[in-house]
Amino acid sequence: MAINAGSPNAGQKALAASFEAETGAKVVYEAYEAVDWNGFFAKVLTQLAAGVPLDCAYVATEGMQLFSHSGLSMPLDSFVMRDKAELKPYFADIHPLLTECEMYQGSLMMLPTEFNAGDLYYDTTLFEKAGIPRPPDDWTEADFINIVKHWTNVQAVGWDWVVRLWGSWSSWMYANGSNLLTEGKYGGGDWLWSTFYPGQPARSGGWHWGEPTANAPGTVEALQLMIELKQQGISPSPDAGGGGTLQGLFASNHIATTIGGGFWAGGLYEAGMKPNAYDVMYFPKWKVQKHLIGVGGFTVLEKSKNHDLAWEWIKHSTTANAISTVYGPRAPDKGNTSTPARRSVLNAAGYAPTGPKHWDVFYGTLDNYPNTTPIPAPFYYEALATAFLARTTQGFSSGNAQSALNGLQSDLEKLYKA
Amino acid sequence: MSTLSGGPSSSGEARWKILGRRGGRGIEVVLLTAAALIVISPVLWMISTSLRTPAESFNEPPQWIPIHPIFSNYSAVFSNVPFGDFIINSMIVTGLIVIGQLITSSLAGYAFARLRFRGNNIVFWIILATMMVPIQATIIPVFILIKYMHLVDSLTALILPAVVSAFGTFLMRQAFMQMPRDYGEAAIVDGASQWKVFTRVYLQMAWPALATLAVLGFAGYWNEFFRPLIFLNSQSNYTIPLGLVNLQGFMGTGSVSVVLAAVTMALVPNLIVFAFAQKYFVRGISFGGIKG
Amino acid sequence: MPEGRAPGSGSWDIGFGEEARAMVEMATVTRPVSPNGEQRPRTAGTRTAQRRSSLHAGESKMGVLMVIPTVAGIVVFTAGPIVASFALSLFRWNVINNPKFIGLSNYRSLVHDSVVLKAFFTTAIMAVSIVGLQLTLGLVLAIAVERRRGAQLRKLYRAAFFFPLMTSAASISIVMGYIFDDHFGVVNYYLTLLHLPAVPWLGSTVGSVVTVVLVVVWQQLGFTFILFVAALGNVPQELIEASAVDGANSRQRFRKITLPMISPTVLFAAIVGLINSLQIFDQPYIMTQGGPGNATNTVVMTLYEAGFEDLKFGYASAISVFLFVAVLILTAAQFRISRRWVYYSSAEGA
C-alpha cells in the first residue's frame, strides 16, 4: 500500500512496521518533499495523473479542501459509521473542533492525528533580562507592543515571523476580528455529531470560505501593524519560506516573540534550545482573542484500489500509541514534532525534555477559546497562498498595507469567482 | 582557432606592452587581493558557520574562525535527510550522462568529421542549430514524454534526455577534423577496417577533447537544479542540489549550521574536479570564445 | 554538456559560443575539413581504387549508424519538443483532464498578464545589469591579474576568480540567502560596522533584484574572466611592437589595438551572458521565491509556476515559446554581428 507523506521519521517508520505486523500489508512511504504546500500538491497531482498508485495521502488543512473539492479524497462517512463502536473512544479523545476542521460539505474527510495552533512563543532568557514577567492569559495587543519594543537592535528583535498562511500576520487578522475570506459553515454533519459527541450542541458540516475580505479594515489594520513594527525596528522584514531560519534565530536568542505551534517544541530542541529557555503563551487579544489552527491527518484517495486497507491504516494511525510515537512524547528520535490531536497523549513528562513549560496552552487553545478557527484554505489554496505571499511582501517593501491588500482583494476575487 | 590552457602565450615583454604598463603597482595588488578575498569569502563563511552550533550561527560579530569547532552538524545532516542517497543519485546521474555523451558525441563527431554519407553536412547543421534551444523551452513537452514513458520520479528521467549532446558532437567533430589524415590513410593501406581506423587511430588521439567534454558535462549536470526539481518527487531520488534545498526545510527544522554543513560537503566533489581538471575546463571555455 | 543551457552552471555558455563560432568559421575564412571536400591522394591503381570504393560503401553505412544515436536523441528530446511547445501553447491542459484546443487564447491572456509581463521586464533588467557587470569586472580583473609578474601568483588569482563557476547555483543561493539576510546577515553587519546604513537586500523590491544580480555575477564572473584572459593573450605581438616603435604610448596602444582586438570576445561574452541571464531561475527561486511581491520573478520562474505548480501546461508552453524566440533573436544578432567582424578583419588582411 502506498502512502504519500513527508519523508518518514523514525516514528512513522515504526508505525508502518507495526501496521505490517498487524495486517500483513506492507506500507510504502512515497515521500514528496517540496518547498511549500503548493509545490507539494502539484507533485501529488502530477504523480496521480502519471498513474502512480497511491492509497493514502497525508494532508493538512492547507490542502484538505483542495483534495476534497477535486474528488481526490473520498469521504470517510460510511467507514466511520461502520466502525463507530471502535471509533467512539477516539472521538472522545479528540476535541470536536479538530473534527469539525476535517469536515467538508457535511462529510468527514480525515481523521485528525495532529494539529498546530497559532500560539505565541517567547524567549524566557530575553524576557528575564528585560525584567518582563510572563504575561497573563488574557493579555492584549497593547501589552504585546509594550513588551516587544524592548528589543530593537541587531542582537535581538522583539517579533519575527515568516510569510505563509499559518503563522504570520494572519494571526493578527484573526485577533482583530477579521480574515482574508468570509467565514461560513456548511450544513450537515449531524450524523457525526449525534453519534460521537452526544450531549454537545451539534456543530457544522465544515468551514465554508466565502467572499474575499482582504482589504476589509480589520485585515488592513493587521498588516499595517506588522509594517509599523518593522518600521520601528521591532521586527525585521519577514522571510518567505518554511520557517527553518526562523527557528534557528529564535533558538539563538535573536528573537523575543514569534508564532509557533506544537511542532516548534521539537524543532527548537533540535536547534539546540534548552527546554526552559522559552515558553508559550496564548495569542494576545486585540478586538477578540482568537487563534488560528491547522489540522493534519490521512485521507483515503478515491483512485486507490485498496479503500478498505487504506481505512485500516487511517485507524491505525489514530491510536494513542501511534500518535504518540509519531508526533508526541514517545517518538524514538525526535520528540514533539507536532501537537497530538488526542488529548490524552499530551502530558508533562512528554514535554519535559523539550519544553515548553506551559504545554497545556496547546490544547488549551481549543478548550478555552471556542472561537478558534482554521486558517482560510479553500479549494483554490495554492493560488491564494501565492497571492498572499506576493502581496504581503509587496506591502512590506512599499510600506502601504492598504494598496497591497487592495491588490490582494482583486487577486482573490478573481479566484473566488473562477 | 586556438585552444588555450591558462594564460597568454606571449612573452613577458610583450605582455606589458599589450596591457599598458610595467606591472606591480602596489595599490593594484591590494585591490586585486581584496577582490579575490571577497569572492572567496562566502565559501569561507559557509565552512566556518558549519563548524559552529546552531545557536551560534548568527552571532555577531561573525566568527570567521570558530573557537570551538564542532562536527555534529555534519552527522546531523545524515540523520535529517538521506544525504548518502543524494550523493549516490548525483553520481549515477552525472556519471551516466557524461559517459553517454562521450560515447554518442565521439561516434557522431567522428562520423561527421571523417566519413562520407548522405546528408552529412545538412544533418550536422541542424544538430548545431538545436544548440541554441534553451532547455526551459522544451521542458514541458519533455516532461509529458517522460510521463508517458512512466519515468516520472526516476533518475532515468534525468539521464535519458541528456545522453546526447549537440555541443559534444560539435566539440568532437572539431577535434577529429583537426587530426591529420595520414594516420588513417596509412592504417587503411595496412588493411584496417573503417571501424578500426576509428577506434585504434583517431579515438586514441581524442583524449584531450574527451576530457574537456567530460569536465564540462560534470560541471553542468552535477550542479543542476531545475530538471531535478521538476522530474524528481520522492526524496530518496533527489540529487544533491535538490536535496540541499529540501534540507532547508518545509514547515520545520532547517537549522542553518546543519544546512551549511551539507552545502560544504556538497562542494567537495566540485573542488576536487576543479583542482584536477581546471585546465580542461578553461580549455573548454576558451575553445569557444576566442576569435583566433 | 547540457543541451541548450542548464541554469546555474557556467558551462552551458560555451555550448552556444561553439555554435556561433562554428557558423562563423564555416561562413568565412577556414573551410571546414569536410570529408567529402578534402583532396584524396590521387594514387593510380585498380586495387586501391577498388578498395576505396568498397571502403566508401562501408564508410557510408558506418557513418549513418554512428550518428543515429545522437540524431535520434536530438529529435526526440530537443527538436521534437520545441515543435511540441509551439503546438502545446495552443491548448489548455492541466495534465489530469484532456487537452482542449483554444487557439491563440493563451497568448492573449499572456499579454494581459501583468505578473508575467513584469517578469519579462525584470528579467531584461537583470540581464542587462548582469552582463554589464560581468564584462566590466571580467575585463578589469583579467587585465589586473595578467599584469602581475609571478606566474604562480597569476595562477592563484585565476583560480580564485574562476572557482565560483564550478559551484552549484542552488547551493550558493542557499548560502547567499543567509549572508544577505536583512537583519541577521553578515553583509549588513559589516556595513553597520562601517557606519553605513543597512541595506534591505532581500526585503525591498529594488534590493532583492540587486542581490540576485550580485549573486549571479559572483558566480558567472569566472566565465568572462577566463575569456578575457585568453583574449588578451591572443593579441598579436607584432602589432603591439610595431606601434610601440611608431611612438604610441601604453594607453594609446591599449585603446587602439588591444580593445578592438578583443572586441569580438566582448561581443561573444555579452550575447552569451544575455542568453544565460534570460534563463535565471535557481537564485530567485531559492533566495526570494520571486518576492518581495514579484520583484524578482523571472521568465523561467513564471514558466515553472504556470506549468508545475498551477498545472497549466498550455499557458506555460506559451511562455516557453516567448523565451525561445528571445534566445533566437539574440543568437541571430550575434551571428550577424560576428560575421561582419570576421569579414572586417579578413578584409584588413591582418
Side-chain angles (χ1 to χ4, degrees):
Chain A
M1 186 179 71
I3 297 186
N4 159 247
S7 71
N9 60 23
Q12 286 158 327
K13 287 188 194 141
L15 196 64
S18 61
F19 185 71
E20 193 176 337
E22 268 180 40
T23 63
K26 193 153 163 28
V27 172
V28 170
Y29 278 103
E30 304 266 352
Y32 302 153
E33 298 281 340
V35 182
D36 57 14
W37 281 106
N38 275 8
F40 177 74
F41 294 146
K43 289 197 188 245
V44 173
L45 290 172
T46 334
Q47 288 291 84
L48 289 174
V52 171
L54 288 178
D55 299 296
C56 286
Y58 184 81
V59 183
T61 305
E62 282 90 341
M64 194 272 285
Q65 295 212 356
L66 166 68
F67 271 67
S68 313
H69 173 88
S70 62
L72 279 175
S73 302
M74 62 174 273
L76 302 174
D77 304 6
S78 49
F79 285 122
V80 169
M81 288 311 279
R82 187 193 76 186
D83 295 341
K84 64 179 182 225
E86 196 184 334
L87 289 174
K88 281 217 171 108
Y90 163 74
F91 279 109
D93 203 10
I94 302 276
H95 193 286
L97 177 69
L98 299 180
T99 313
E100 196 180 2
C101 286
E102 307 295 46
M103 308 268 296
Y104 183 72
Q105 293 179 348
S107 292
L108 184 69
M109 306 306 294
M110 289 153 49
L111 293 189
T113 53
E114 47 96 17
F115 75 100
N116 282 294
D119 296 317
L120 199 109
Y121 276 60
Y122 67 95
D123 189 314
T124 49
T125 322
L126 288 177
F127 269 48
E128 268 172 43
K129 274 207 199 116
I132 303 174
R134 177 186 166 81
D137 284 355
D138 57 354
W139 62 317
T140 65
E141 177 253 359
D143 299 328
F144 171 79
I145 305 280
N146 279 335
I147 292 177
V148 290
K149 68 182 184 204
H150 279 85
W151 302 277
T152 57
N153 60 34
V154 153
Q155 282 300 328
V157 287
W159 161 254
D160 199 358
W161 47 286
V162 173
V163 185
R164 48 188 171 180
L165 212 55
W166 184 101
S168 77
W169 65 278
S170 34
S171 285
W172 289 105
M173 257 189 252
Y174 277 50
N176 209 18
S178 187
N179 209 324
L180 281 181
L181 306 170
T182 311
E183 291 171 32
K185 299 276 182 92
Y186 287 111
D190 287 330
W191 60 273
L192 190 144
W193 301 119
S194 54
T195 314
F196 298 104
Y197 297 96
Q200 295 184 36
R203 290 172 176 254
S204 69
W207 259 268
H208 173 256
W209 295 105
E211 295 260 356
T213 56
N215 56 359
T219 316
V220 175
E221 214 182 334
L223 183 58
Q224 194 62 41
L225 173 66
M226 298 291 101
I227 295 175
E228 272 158 32
L229 288 179
K230 176 207 160 192
Q231 285 166 345
Q232 292 166 25
I234 297 176
S235 166
S237 267
D239 289 328
T245 321
L246 189 72
Q247 285 191 2
L249 290 170
F250 186 79
S252 49
N253 302 109
H254 281 88
I255 303 175
T257 65
T258 186
I259 297 181
F263 72 104
W264 268 58
L268 293 176
Y269 173 71
E270 248 186 276
M273 202 170 196
K274 298 272 179 297
N276 53 3
Y278 74 98
D279 207 344
V280 68
M281 274 295 310
Y282 293 110
F283 201 76
K285 168 180 173 172
W286 204 356
K287 289 210 181 67
V288 288
Q289 197 165 14
K290 184 171 167 188
H291 299 76
L292 46 71
I293 54 169
V295 188
F298 283 100
T299 171
V300 175
L301 294 173
E302 178 68 49
K303 288 200 169 52
S304 156
K305 306 217 172 36
N306 306 314
H307 289 167
D308 289 302
L309 195 58
W311 169 245
E312 290 304 313
W313 167 261
I314 290 188
K315 285 191 295 179
H316 184 81
S317 71
T318 57
T319 63
N321 192 30
I323 292 183
S324 186
T325 309
V326 175
Y327 301 112
R330 247 183 272 165
D333 51 358
K334 303 164 210 216
N336 302 326
T337 54
S338 187
T339 324
R342 271 180 177 267
R343 186 197 305 271
S344 62
V345 170
L346 288 95
N347 56 50
Y351 281 99
T354 64
K357 187 161 144 214
H358 286 85
W359 53 270
D360 49 292
V361 165
F362 298 142
Y363 228 88
T365 312
L366 305 175
D367 290 327
N368 304 333
Y369 297 92
N371 60 3
T372 303
T373 304
I375 51 172
F379 65 88
Y380 53 92
Y381 170 77
E382 296 167 289
L384 182 148
T386 312
F388 181 76
L389 172 65
R391 295 295 181 184
T392 305
T393 48
Q394 178 195 336
F396 267 83
S397 64
S398 70
N400 187 333
Q402 182 72 55
S403 67
L405 289 179
N406 286 342
L408 184 60
Q409 175 72 11
S410 70
D411 293 340
L412 295 181
E413 271 168 7
K414 281 192 211 122
L415 294 169
Y416 178 68
K417 291 195 176 88
Chain B
M1 154 171 9
S2 55
T3 52
L4 245 46
S5 54
S9 45
S10 44
S11 69
E13 261 270 313
R15 176 163 61 234
W16 310 138
K17 291 204 174 120
I18 294 170
L19 296 172
R21 321 167 65 100
R22 290 245 146 219
R25 281 171 88 213
I27 200 163
E28 230 178 71
V29 179
V30 167
L31 288 176
L32 194 57
T33 314
L37 282 177
I38 290 180
V39 167
I40 305 190
S41 55
V43 177
L44 294 179
W45 180 83
M46 170 184 94
I47 299 177
S48 139
T49 310
S50 71
L51 296 172
R52 288 186 255 143
T53 64
E56 292 170 340
S57 358
F58 286 108
N59 267 0
E60 268 125 15
Q63 305 164 344
W64 288 92
I65 304 182
I67 305 178
H68 304 292
I70 58 165
F71 296 94
S72 57
N73 294 321
Y74 286 87
S75 49
V77 171
F78 287 93
S79 58
N80 264 305
V81 290
F83 201 66
D85 284 353
F86 298 162
I87 297 176
I88 293 178
N89 291 336
S90 277
M91 280 167 54
I92 294 177
V93 170
T94 310
L96 290 182
I97 288 180
V98 167
I99 292 174
Q101 286 193 354
L102 289 181
I103 295 177
T104 59
S105 297
S106 44
L107 285 176
Y110 180 77
F112 283 124
R114 297 249 160 223
L115 297 180
R116 302 196 278 174
F117 56 91
R118 281 263 288 262
N120 181 315
N121 262 349
I122 296 184
V123 175
F124 178 68
W125 274 69
I126 295 179
I127 291 183
L128 210 55
T130 65
M131 259 170 52
M132 80 171 100
V133 176
I135 55 158
Q136 298 94 346
T138 55
I139 197 78
I140 303 239
V142 170
F143 178 78
I144 295 173
L145 191 63
I146 296 283
K147 185 174 94 78
Y148 279 120
M149 291 164 74
H150 296 290
L151 288 175
V152 176
D153 198 26
S154 71
L155 297 182
T156 317
L158 292 179
I159 298 174
L160 199 59
V163 290
V164 301
S165 162
F167 169 72
T169 307
F170 171 67
L171 191 84
M172 296 314 298
R173 178 179 179 275
Q174 286 302 114
F176 284 123
M177 265 169 32
Q178 288 175 347
M179 294 175 193
R181 282 211 144 245
D182 320 351
Y183 294 119
E185 300 280 333
I188 290 181
V189 166
D190 283 350
S193 71
Q194 285 284 5
W195 180 253
K196 280 254 168 49
V197 172
F198 171 57
T199 53
R200 295 255 174 267
V201 178
Y202 288 110
L203 198 55
Q204 309 294 331
M205 298 197 278
W207 288 118
L210 288 173
T212 307
L213 185 58
V215 171
L216 290 175
F218 169 82
Y221 289 102
W222 182 264
N223 296 327
E224 228 195 347
F225 177 69
F226 189 65
R227 287 190 321 144
L229 177 68
I230 289 175
F231 288 114
L232 302 177
N233 288 334
S234 315
Q235 200 193 38
S236 52
N237 282 334
Y238 284 0
T239 55
I240 293 180
L242 192 57
L244 289 176
V245 173
N246 173 232
L247 177 60
Q248 256 205 319
F250 190 95
M251 279 272 273
T253 61
S255 151
V256 173
S257 297
V258 175
V259 174
L260 292 179
V263 177
T264 306
M265 285 194 284
L267 205 54
V268 169
N270 294 41
L271 282 174
I272 294 177
V273 172
F274 172 66
F276 285 108
Q278 184 185 357
K279 170 171 81 169
Y280 292 108
F281 198 58
V282 170
R283 193 176 282 172
I285 297 182
S286 316
F287 183 55
I290 313 309
K291 195 202 163 312
Chain C
M1 186 62 215
E3 230 28 84
R5 272 138 281 299
S9 58
S11 50
W12 33 252
D13 312 51
I14 309 138
F16 170 71
E18 290 322 289
E19 174 248 292
R21 195 115 183 77
M23 290 188 169
V24 165
E25 269 201 2
M26 284 175 202
T28 62
V29 185
T30 39
R31 281 270 155 261
V33 181
S34 126
N36 304 316
E38 263 263 313
Q39 308 293 355
R40 284 196 167 269
R42 263 181 268 238
T43 50
T46 41
R47 210 190 94 214
T48 28
Q50 273 173 351
R51 180 110 213 278
R52 218 179 292 137
S53 68
S54 69
L55 270 180
H56 182 46
E59 190 180 323
S60 178
K61 191 156 68 147
M62 185 168 118
V64 170
L65 282 178
M66 285 170 89
V67 301
I68 278 184
T70 299
V71 171
I74 298 275
V75 166
V76 172
F77 289 111
T78 306
I82 192 63
V83 172
S85 269
F86 276 89
L88 212 55
S89 65
L90 303 175
F91 286 79
R92 171 183 302 145
W93 192 19
N94 69 354
V95 131
I96 308 181
N97 308 321
N98 287 326
K100 180 174 163 219
F101 182 76
I102 54 171
L104 293 175
S105 183
N106 279 326
Y107 291 98
R108 243 172 275 142
S109 320
L110 232 171
V111 294
H112 287 117
D113 189 335
S114 58
V115 173
V116 174
L117 290 179
K118 174 144 204 295
F120 284 4
F121 179 67
T122 308
T123 310
I125 302 256
M126 284 186 186
V128 170
S129 319
I130 288 171
V131 170
L133 278 173
Q134 259 190 290
L135 289 179
T136 324
L137 285 176
L139 186 57
V140 165
L141 288 174
I143 294 176
V145 167
E146 291 311 299
R147 278 163 56 159
R148 302 277 73 77
R149 270 193 245 190
Q152 288 304 331
L153 198 61
R154 282 201 304 277
K155 274 205 189 127
L156 217 61
Y157 281 123
R158 274 186 228 143
F161 294 121
F162 178 68
F163 154 76
L165 206 53
M166 293 287 298
T167 59
S168 132
S171 331
I172 287 303
S173 299
I174 295 177
V175 178
M176 293 293 192
Y178 295 137
I179 291 181
F180 280 98
D181 186 271
D182 289 2
H183 205 89
F184 301 106
V186 181
V187 176
N188 271 350
Y189 172 72
Y190 283 117
L191 284 178
T192 48
L193 213 58
L194 296 172
H195 297 293
L196 295 167
V199 177
W201 296 108
L202 295 171
S204 66
T205 41
V206 173
S208 54
V209 176
V210 169
T211 311
V212 171
V213 167
L214 287 179
V215 171
V216 174
V217 169
W218 178 89
Q219 191 171 21
Q220 305 294 359
L221 191 58
F223 178 68
T224 45
F225 173 73
I226 288 289
L227 279 182
F228 285 132
V229 163
L232 287 172
N234 256 8
V235 176
Q237 303 174 9
E238 318 83 60
L239 277 184
I240 301 289
E241 306 275 351
S243 69
V245 163
D246 281 349
N249 68 24
S250 59
R251 192 171 296 161
Q252 285 172 325
R253 285 201 299 269
F254 184 75
R255 275 203 314 139
K256 295 279 196 277
I257 299 181
T258 311
L259 268 185
M261 291 245 70
I262 63 173
S263 52
T265 307
V266 173
L267 174 72
F268 168 72
I271 299 274
V272 169
L274 282 175
I275 291 180
N276 295 336
S277 304
L278 291 183
Q279 303 169 341
I280 292 179
F281 175 81
D282 299 7
Q283 293 90 340
Y285 181 83
I286 293 172
M287 288 201 296
T288 59
Q289 281 273 295
N294 290 328
T296 54
N297 225 3
T298 63
V299 173
V300 178
M301 284 187 70
T302 56
L303 197 165
Y304 173 78
E305 210 176 278
F308 298 101
E309 289 200 354
D310 300 343
L311 293 180
K312 291 173 7 192
F313 276 15
Y315 196 62
S317 294
I319 298 178
S320 72
V321 165
F322 265 85
L323 179 66
F324 175 65
V325 168
V327 172
L328 200 62
I329 292 176
L330 283 172
T331 308
Q334 170 172 21
F335 186 49
R336 282 249 101 159
I337 304 181
S338 55
R339 271 190 90 153
R340 269 197 314 151
W341 273 109
V342 172
Y343 278 126
Y344 178 84
S345 71
S346 60
E348 290 280 310

